Amino acid sequence: MAQVLFVDDDLLTLQLMTRVATILGHEVVAIASPIEALIVLEMQPPQMIIVDMQMAEMNGIQFIQNAHTSAIGKTIPIIVLSAERDGREEREAREAGAVAYYTKPIGFDELQSIIETYATV
């Protein structure tokens, strides 16, 4: 079982990802605000973070940069989900420190694979 922090300001996506990960047996903290997620990251460090790229308060790259300012945030793998199939965006996310970049939508099996791969990094 992995401890996963999901960050996405789209509540439907957040609920769906939470439900699937919970069914798969993982412990999930789901937060719609990237600013609040940065606070939770310090108080309850997860094994991994899955963050949306396009959010109103800050984008995924800004979230990664902010997360990496703390010692705890530097040690947690961050995976970016995006609706964009843009190589430039993926490159920027990886340069900011994302360990992986996936395009939405992702399926049940793909989410399980992502969690299994990166929760143990």
Side-chain angles (χ1 to χ4, degrees):
M1 175 177 73
Q3 297 165 331
V4 183
L5 172 60
F6 283 114
V7 185
D8 194 324
D9 63 353
D10 180 323
L11 295 180
L12 183 59
T13 300
L14 195 62
Q15 290 172 343
L16 179 62
M17 298 290 285
T18 299
R19 176 174 239 141
V20 170
T22 301
I23 289 169
L24 292 169
H26 303 292
E27 183 180 317
V28 177
V29 174
I31 301 177
S33 164
I35 294 169
E36 288 178 34
L38 290 168
I39 295 167
V40 169
L41 170 63
E42 293 295 320
M43 296 171 44
Q44 294 177 282
Q47 288 178 283
M48 66 181 299
I49 300 167
I50 299 177
V51 63
D52 183 38
M53 180 56 88
Q54 300 301 324
M55 298 179 286
E57 292 178 328
M58 70 175 69
N59 67 31
I61 293 168
Q62 293 166 324
F63 177 86
I64 295 166
Q65 292 168 335
N66 279 284
H68 283 176
T69 62
S70 75
I72 293 170
K74 288 179 185 175
T75 65
I76 299 169
I78 301 175
I79 292 85
V80 172
L81 294 182
S82 179
E84 298 295 321
R85 296 182 188 274
D86 180 355
R88 180 186 52 79
E89 186 175 89
E90 179 177 359
R91 206 170 30 260
E92 289 174 358
R94 288 184 181 275
E95 287 172 359
V99 297
Y101 180 99
Y102 291 90
T103 304
K104 293 178 184 178
I106 62 170
F108 198 88
D109 291 337
E110 189 173 16
L111 180 59
Q112 178 68 356
S113 177
I114 292 167
I115 294 172
E116 287 176 357
T117 300
Y118 296 102
T120 59
V121 171

